Amino acid sequence: MHCKLNFYISIVLFLLSSITVYGQENSASGIAKDTTNELSPDYLPVFTAPIKQHHFYPLHFQSIDTQMVEVNHYTPTLNSHNIYQTLGVAGQAHKSMIFDFEKNMGFTYLKYPFPLLFKTQNDLMLYQLETSYTKVGYFYGLPSENALTLDFAQKVKNAIVSINVIANTNTGYYVHQAIQGLVGDAQVQYETKNKNYGFRASFIINRTENQENLGIRESEFSRLDTAKDQDIKVNSNNGFLSVLTSDFNFQHFLNVKNKQGQYFGTFTHNVQYQRYRSTYSDCIDTTLESPFYSFESDSTFDTLQCYKIVNSIQLSNFTPFSIVSSKNNFLRFAGGIMHEYFEDRRTYYNFHSFTPFIRGNMKFLNFFEVFAHFSYSFGGYIHNDAIANLKGEWTFSKKHHIVLGIHTDFYRVAPDYIYSRFSSNHFKWDALFKKQNIASLGAYLTYKDFKASAKIFLLDNMVIFGTDYKPIQLSKFSRLVQISVYAPFRYKGFGITTHIALQNSSSDSIQVPLLAGKANLFYIFDIFKKKLRLQLGLDVMYNTRYYANGYSPAQYSFYFQNSNMIGNYWFVDAHATIRISRIYFFARIGNLLSPFQQYNMYTSPGYPINDFLFTLGINWRFHD
């Protein structure tokens, strides 16, 4: 143990001393702003804006992030905004420690447990640029972790073409824990010169192939600090999960004008085709007691195949490509109807549903703005589902972006379809649940990039997976209170980004940590006569003990458990980033404190976090 600790300390000191030597060419200088424009006089700005599939509002474009602060966060779970429990391997299932409930109108079969990796149509961005933009990144982690990212956008006359790809592989740190993942999307946006007609076509593919070991056996945790990884016994040596989803969306619009050019409104039609295919297989050692499977069988092979076709038509007084208005007073509205057809090819279940919807965005007196949405569904599995959202914002200062907002959301919705009907070798149910009634009320205050918020969730008839891996509807009314602060503080070259959440749940079945937080501390300075920019930093994460949800890959879901408490660990990573013009090099050392916390640190029951993970990466951005 002492030899390993000495070796560990030597490696850390060597890396830190190497960074110090390279940094002695120039003293620290004040860095208030970091943009590529300062390094390239010919730089052509590139802007992006999030766009919603059906619920589009006027677009708010922002310049791409050229900061180096978040570059070393090569996987979304490392980002300062995201506080997630994971299975210890980048690319595997994960779940937010900060409770939230949000649902778009329409039918949902299931939500795959990869929210930061799998994309939907609501995760896409529109580009605004003059020529082209390319960003390429590659990351390599020991013992064997690889990730490749590519973002590309090109303007071709009146059209903009964009492609985004994320590919990753990892052999895992314990027996049978390897992953292969691919997330890709392609998009074309076009508008005629007279802006009378336009369209947006997009395609998304989400693919993952995971070897699932169902976690470390409970008897093994006491020997994690002495045993070799391959000696650790797991709950399954043969579990395998394959998921492939594809999503095609075509949205086009026509502006209605008379011969004099007077505008009367915009008709928008949207058609979408979604396809899901999942396969889970496992060979089971019947001589050992399985904590996951319901009845005896020496193997399982379950395949899910389903698809959904969505059509919507709406009339609005703005187009999907409209930007935020600079007027002091305005009223934006849209209304329409959405049709869905769903078919589950395994159970031969299918239905049609219709969802009328209306939404609006009103601004008056140049400082107060209101957003509202309402939808109600008829027919099929989501018959009588209702969703209502209302938000108001009071802007005190546009220059400093001081905004006070309040919002309320109400969902009267059926649980995701997987909770109602499921059939496999080991899990079968056909249940009728009452509608879930979920309401939230919140307020927030922003100042520049700072944001403080408070929310209260009122949960009635909530459906979850219970300790026996089967769905249950909670009979007791629950309340969950949440306060969070996101604070990026900068002073010259020093910076600290802090995200802290305090939570309290009145239900023993909806567990959240009382405190969960993440902080990124860093210092940025120029070296070699300002030819290079260097960042040194630490990432720190902590959460109090609580009954974190377990994970069942056979159901693609996290479930409630009350036998293992997780938390009260400090996760600390060190990182260094060097920027040369538009090229970023970085190195990370993960989980620095693992030797002092007996190695068995984990955020999900049964899945220890790897100790002392060393990662190298490069990120190259071509802006014109």
Side-chain angles (χ1 to χ4, degrees):
M1 177 67 183
H2 291 293
C3 294
K4 186 174 182 179
L5 179 59
N6 291 334
F7 174 75
Y8 179 97
I9 295 174
S10 300
I11 292 293
V12 174
L13 292 177
F14 172 76
L15 290 171
L16 293 178
S17 63
S18 299
I19 292 172
T20 304
V21 169
Y22 286 119
Q24 288 175 348
E25 294 295 328
N26 193 14
S27 60
S29 59
I31 302 172
K33 190 177 182 181
D34 173 30
T35 65
T36 306
N37 190 26
E38 296 172 351
L39 300 178
S40 173
D42 300 324
Y43 166 66
L44 296 177
V46 179
F47 301 88
T48 60
I51 187 167
K52 298 298 183 181
Q53 180 184 7
H54 300 286
H55 296 255
F56 59 82
Y57 282 108
L59 304 174
H60 181 61
F61 283 93
Q62 291 184 318
S63 60
I64 60 168
D65 180 18
T66 56
Q67 303 283 328
M68 62 191 301
V69 174
E70 296 282 358
V71 168
N72 65 88
H73 296 154
Y74 58 96
T75 175
T77 53
L78 295 175
N79 191 281
S80 302
H81 282 89
N82 301 320
I83 304 177
Y84 275 70
Q85 67 172 93
T86 71
L87 305 189
V89 176
Q92 282 195 328
H94 47 276
K95 184 178 185 294
S96 178
M97 292 185 186
I98 302 176
F99 180 87
D100 198 10
F101 186 92
E102 182 179 357
K103 189 180 186 307
N104 295 315
M105 65 178 187
F107 172 78
T108 304
Y109 184 90
L110 67 89
K111 295 182 180 70
Y112 285 108
F114 311 98
L116 296 178
L117 298 178
F118 278 20
K119 284 190 177 183
T120 68
Q121 293 291 341
N122 289 332
D123 296 319
L124 299 185
M125 307 288 284
L126 283 185
Y127 282 86
Q128 188 181 78
L129 72 168
E130 295 300 323
T131 54
S132 64
Y133 167 69
T134 305
K135 182 180 75 171
V136 180
Y138 174 73
F139 320 106
Y140 176 72
L142 300 174
S144 182
E145 179 179 346
N146 296 271
L148 175 68
T149 64
L150 169 65
D151 297 334
F152 171 77
Q154 176 75 51
K155 186 174 183 180
V156 183
K157 294 185 179 180
N158 294 328
I160 295 178
V161 180
S162 60
I163 298 174
N164 303 276
V165 178
I166 302 173
N168 60 314
T169 64
N170 197 327
T171 58
Y173 315 122
Y174 295 94
V175 176
H176 209 72
Q177 204 182 14
I179 65 166
Q180 288 187 350
L182 173 68
V183 179
D185 65 82
Q187 184 172 238
V188 179
Q189 59 192 78
Y190 170 83
E191 191 172 25
T192 58
K193 289 184 178 180
N194 59 12
K195 299 187 182 300
N196 285 337
Y197 176 79
F199 71 83
R200 182 175 64 92
S202 58
F203 176 76
I204 300 173
I205 182 172
N206 296 304
R207 179 180 179 272
T208 188
E209 292 186 350
N210 289 355
Q211 297 180 20
E212 302 284 355
N213 62 20
L214 280 67
I216 305 297
R217 289 191 173 273
E218 291 188 9
S219 59
E220 298 293 296
F221 283 104
S222 60
R223 55 191 291 265
L224 284 179
D225 58 342
T226 58
K228 296 181 180 179
D229 294 348
Q230 299 300 315
D231 295 335
I232 300 295
K233 292 183 175 60
V234 295
N235 288 310
S236 174
N237 290 314
N238 304 289
F240 186 82
L241 174 66
S242 175
V243 177
L244 176 63
T245 75
S246 56
D247 188 341
F248 173 76
N249 187 77
F250 181 75
Q251 181 185 76
H252 60 137
F253 62 89
L254 177 66
N255 294 326
V256 181
K257 301 179 181 179
N258 60 18
K259 293 182 178 180
Q260 289 74 37
Q262 185 178 2
Y263 174 71
F264 292 99
T266 299
F267 281 103
T268 302
H269 172 243
N270 195 91
V271 60
Q272 179 190 19
Y273 175 78
Q274 287 181 298
R275 184 172 181 268
Y276 302 89
R277 181 173 180 175
S278 303
T279 302
Y280 180 75
S281 60
D282 198 0
C283 294
I284 304 161
D285 186 352
T286 56
T287 63
L288 300 174
E289 181 181 356
S290 173
F292 286 93
Y293 298 117
S294 300
F295 50 84
E296 292 185 1
S297 177
D298 60 359
S299 66
T300 183
F301 186 87
D302 304 313
T303 301
L304 161 70
Q305 293 189 68
C306 58
Y307 70 92
K308 183 172 70 168
I309 300 175
V310 184
N311 269 279
S312 69
I313 187 168
Q314 53 195 314
L315 174 64
S316 64
N317 67 344
F318 65 100
T319 75
F321 293 168
S322 295
I323 62 174
V324 173
S325 175
S326 59
K327 294 181 180 180
N328 294 340
N329 304 277
F330 62 76
L331 173 63
R332 306 275 192 174
F333 66 88
I337 188 168
M338 182 177 73
H339 167 258
E340 291 181 285
Y341 174 75
F342 172 79
E343 181 175 313
D344 185 342
R345 293 181 175 177
R346 181 176 60 177
T347 61
Y348 304 104
Y349 174 77
N350 63 81
F351 69 84
H352 293 269
S353 67
F354 295 88
T355 304
F357 58 89
I358 187 171
R359 63 184 179 279
N361 175 204
M362 180 174 61
K363 182 179 180 181
F364 52 92
L365 301 178
N366 195 31
F367 57 80
F368 191 72
E369 200 164 356
V370 177
F371 302 85
H373 160 258
F374 177 76
S375 65
Y376 196 94
S377 300
F378 299 93
Y381 182 75
I382 58 174
H383 185 62
N384 289 334
D385 275 14
I387 298 176
N389 312 103
L390 181 64
K391 180 175 71 172
E393 289 188 343
W394 189 303
T395 301
F396 293 92
S397 171
K398 290 186 177 181
K399 180 180 179 180
H400 299 292
H401 192 62
I402 302 177
V403 178
L404 174 64
I406 58 173
H407 66 89
T408 181
D409 305 282
F410 174 75
Y411 303 91
R412 181 182 182 272
V413 294
D416 292 351
Y417 185 72
I418 190 175
Y419 291 105
S420 295
R421 292 185 182 178
F422 191 80
S423 177
S424 71
N425 297 67
H426 297 275
F427 302 101
K428 293 183 180 181
W429 55 80
D430 188 351
L432 291 176
F433 292 114
K434 298 178 182 177
K435 295 288 186 182
Q436 300 178 115
N437 295 299
I438 299 169
S440 67
L441 177 65
Y444 56 90
L445 178 66
T446 67
Y447 168 68
K448 295 183 178 180
D449 294 327
F450 293 75
K451 183 174 182 178
S453 64
K455 290 183 182 179
I456 180 170
F457 295 90
L458 306 176
L459 311 171
D460 185 31
N461 294 330
M462 188 82 171
V463 178
I464 64 171
F465 280 111
T467 54
D468 59 354
Y469 321 112
K470 294 181 179 180
I472 57 172
Q473 188 157 44
L474 304 182
S475 58
K476 292 185 178 180
F477 177 84
S478 304
R479 181 200 70 253
L480 191 145
V481 179
Q482 183 183 98
I483 299 174
S484 64
V485 176
Y486 179 79
F489 176 76
R490 308 286 186 265
Y491 178 73
K492 295 185 177 181
F494 291 97
I496 177 171
T497 302
T498 305
H499 185 191
I500 298 175
L502 292 169
Q503 302 175 101
N504 176 262
S505 173
S506 66
S507 172
D508 292 336
S509 300
I510 302 176
Q511 289 284 328
V512 290
L514 175 63
L515 169 66
K518 182 178 285 189
N520 176 18
L521 299 86
F522 61 88
Y523 179 54
I524 300 175
F525 55 97
D526 292 327
I527 57 178
F528 298 129
K529 299 181 180 180
K530 297 186 178 182
K531 298 297 182 182
L532 275 71
R533 184 161 289 175
L534 178 64
Q535 173 188 268
L536 306 178
L538 293 173
D539 286 330
V540 182
M541 177 177 162
Y542 174 83
N543 63 273
T544 53
R545 289 171 61 83
Y546 75 113
Y547 290 111
N549 285 168
Y551 178 63
S552 171
Q555 299 158 287
Y556 325 106
S557 301
F558 285 87
Y559 64 91
F560 169 71
Q561 63 85 30
N562 55 4
S563 56
N564 293 307
M565 295 195 76
I566 305 297
N568 197 28
Y569 309 111
W570 287 94
F571 297 94
V572 179
D573 296 356
H575 56 82
T577 305
I578 295 177
R579 171 173 149 178
I580 307 172
S581 185
R582 298 171 184 173
I583 305 177
Y584 304 76
F585 300 93
F586 74 84
R588 286 183 67 91
I589 305 174
N591 214 355
L592 290 171
L593 300 182
S594 56
F596 310 104
Q597 299 183 108
Q598 299 180 346
Y599 297 94
N600 56 344
M601 302 160 60
Y602 42 99
T603 58
S604 295
Y607 293 91
I609 302 297
N610 185 55
D611 62 292
F612 197 72
L613 175 63
F614 183 67
T615 307
L616 295 171
I618 181 173
N619 193 309
W620 194 342
R621 306 183 184 195
F622 307 83
H623 297 279
D624 51 25

